Amino acid sequence: MSLKITRLNSAQGDFSAELNRRTQWQNGDMAAVEQRVADILELIRTEGDPQLLKLTQELDRWSPEQAAGLRVSDAEIETAVSACDENELAALELAAQRIRGYHQKQTQGSWSYKDELGNLLGQQITPIERVGIYVPGGKASYPSSVLMNAIPAKVAGVDQLIMVTPTPDASFNPLVLAAAKIAGVDQVFRVGGAQAVAALAFGTETVPSVDKIVGPGNSYVAAAKRQLFGRVGIDMVAGPSEILIVGDGSVNPEWVAMDLLSQAEHDEVAQSILITPDQDYLEQVAAEVERLITTLERETVARASMQSKGLLIKCTDITEAISISNLLSPEHLELAVEEPESWLSEVKNAGAIFLGAYSPEAIGDYCAGPNHVLPTSATARFSSPLGVYDFQKRSSIIGCSKEGAVALAKTASVLARSESLTAHARSAEYRIEPNSSPTD
């Protein structure tokens, strides 16, 4: 079956309009999903465990007799670990070591100083106390995501990590539990969907409530996180995965083609884009994609993705290619060019930047060290990868000396009265003459 991938040319008069149309994520009619999720959240909020069991039976086709059975015991985790392939366990351990090492570089300490008036000013950094991690189950089961979400939290000093993961038909991927143990997850519950997110947010008799929820999920999970934001913190509401490759023709077209397919195989709405000034190279990559796609286990998914969302863009030069990339603000950006470091300063918007022929996005997904939880749907314009800082809070510290209070209260008083906030003004004025009671 011939593979038809959309081609665009930046010289076309309608290029901008076509690019915008073909890169906008259409999430479909979400009204029904939002309402169903709202109903589920209310059921869990008001009824707790009984509804958690009922929804698990209804949606995952299994349920324990008692809610306590939703928790995965330490013995079950050990059994799962012992069932894992030794090479896969070793790979998880090495990936965890690298992820931990990278994120330890992100740690920040509290700081303070005294100004010229003797006032103590500073910032106190404290970890979030309890975090929930959502891990997809079933076919979309990713041990690597456990590491990427849990390890930065532990590096940040989070005291309790509560993981939830669906187990359709009571089955689970043992590597997910192995990753949870390696990453230091404290409790694991076999429950998924919007009901799992609700349980983490509200708490039930069995599932502890948390302060923040992180991790990817389907449209129901995303809607639940969105609706519960404010009661709990969330990492982001992620869209489909994306890769954008800027190529100058110097990297083997077979490699670039497989890099494009590495995103296309995620799901039918993942987006893979190549931008190059070399038309011959573009056609070489296209031919390799068509040849290689038939070798994939998830050929059907990858084919649907490439035909509906794939883009091959001919541009004027690499400067324009990076300008287009900055406009699209991709989740993953590969600079498949000679001397990629020389172009790095030109990149303004990207979740992660992969430099050169030997830096495929796939390595970043698993074991390079930086986090693979990245902003999607052009949110790299204002968002960053998941990191230690997402699991910490910053509190301002203000400790005025007597001299400092007298000096600063005069300024505060003037500004407060300019805003007609009399109590603010008088509160400050009391510190100017501590033994007096100023009146208006």
Side-chain angles (χ1 to χ4, degrees), residues 135 166 187 202 218 235 252 259 280 284 302 329 337 366 381 384:
V135 178
Q187 297 182 56
F202 298 119
N218 62 18
D235 50 351
N252 187 328
D259 291 356
D280 289 339
Q284 291 172 34
S329 307
V337 298
Y366 293 107
R381 293 174 294 118
S384 305

Side-chain angles (χ1 to χ4, degrees), residues 148 242-246 251 259 262-263 330-337 339-341 343-344 347 350-374 385:
M148 293 290 182
E242 314 151 357
I243 188 170
L244 188 153
I245 302 177
V246 171
V251 178
D259 291 356
S262 72
Q263 290 306 296
E331 178 187 15
H332 307 100
L333 169 62
E334 285 189 11
L335 295 179
V337 298
E339 299 182 2
E341 293 89 345
W343 294 100
L344 189 56
V347 177
I353 307 166
F354 299 82
L355 303 176
Y358 294 95
S359 304
E361 180 274 330
I363 289 179
D365 262 355
Y366 293 107
C367 56
N371 211 290
H372 77 196
V373 180
L374 302 167

Side-chain angles (χ1 to χ4, degrees), residues 113-122 397-417 424-433:
Y113 68 95
K114 283 193 174 183
D115 65 14
E116 68 283 358
L117 297 172
N119 300 312
L120 177 66
L121 306 172
I397 299 171
I398 303 168
C400 292
S401 66
K402 183 176 181 180
E403 177 189 5
V406 169
L408 296 179
K410 295 175 182 178
T411 299
S413 173
V414 171
L415 294 175
R417 291 185 181 279
H424 280 67
R426 292 174 63 180
S427 173
E429 290 162 1
Y430 284 163
R431 273 66 181 183
I432 298 173
E433 299 182 42

Side-chain angles (χ1 to χ4, degrees), residues 5-26:
I5 308 174
T6 298
R7 288 161 167 77
L8 297 178
N9 192 314
S10 65
Q12 296 170 213
D14 62 349
F15 172 72
S16 294
E18 277 296 293
L19 181 66
N20 183 64
R21 184 173 74 85
R22 293 180 180 278
T23 55
Q24 292 300 306
W25 177 38
Q26 301 298 324

Side-chain angles (χ1 to χ4, degrees), residues 78-113:
E78 291 299 332
T79 299
V81 172
S82 64
C84 293
D85 178 84
E86 289 186 5
N87 290 331
E88 291 177 334
L89 282 176
L92 278 180
E93 292 279 8
L94 178 58
Q97 178 184 342
R98 293 189 59 84
I99 294 164
R100 189 174 294 110
Y102 177 87
H103 287 84
Q104 284 172 342
K105 302 291 186 183
Q106 293 181 340
T107 57
Q108 298 177 332
S110 301
W111 54 267
S112 63
Y113 68 95

Side-chain angles (χ1 to χ4, degrees), residues 36 51 53-63:
R36 174 60 173 150
Q51 281 297 329
L53 290 171
K54 182 178 178 181
L55 288 164
T56 299
Q57 177 66 58
E58 175 187 338
L59 300 174
D60 285 343
R61 301 170 300 282
W62 83 280
S63 181

Side-chain angles (χ1 to χ4, degrees), residues 98-168:
R98 293 189 59 84
I99 294 164
R100 189 174 294 110
Y102 177 87
H103 287 84
Q104 284 172 342
K105 302 291 186 183
Q106 293 181 340
T107 57
Q108 298 177 332
S110 301
W111 54 267
S112 63
Y113 68 95
K114 283 193 174 183
D115 65 14
E116 68 283 358
L117 297 172
N119 300 312
L120 177 66
L121 306 172
Q123 180 173 269
Q124 178 169 286
I125 296 177
T126 55
I128 295 173
E129 293 182 38
R130 188 183 288 163
V131 168
I133 300 174
Y134 188 94
V135 178
K139 290 185 294 185
S141 185
Y142 302 119
S144 59
S145 286
V146 179
L147 302 182
M148 293 290 182
N149 282 275
I151 289 175
K154 280 299 183 181
V155 171
V158 171
D159 184 53
Q160 291 188 57
L161 279 181
I162 313 299
M163 187 176 105
V164 294
T165 184
T167 54

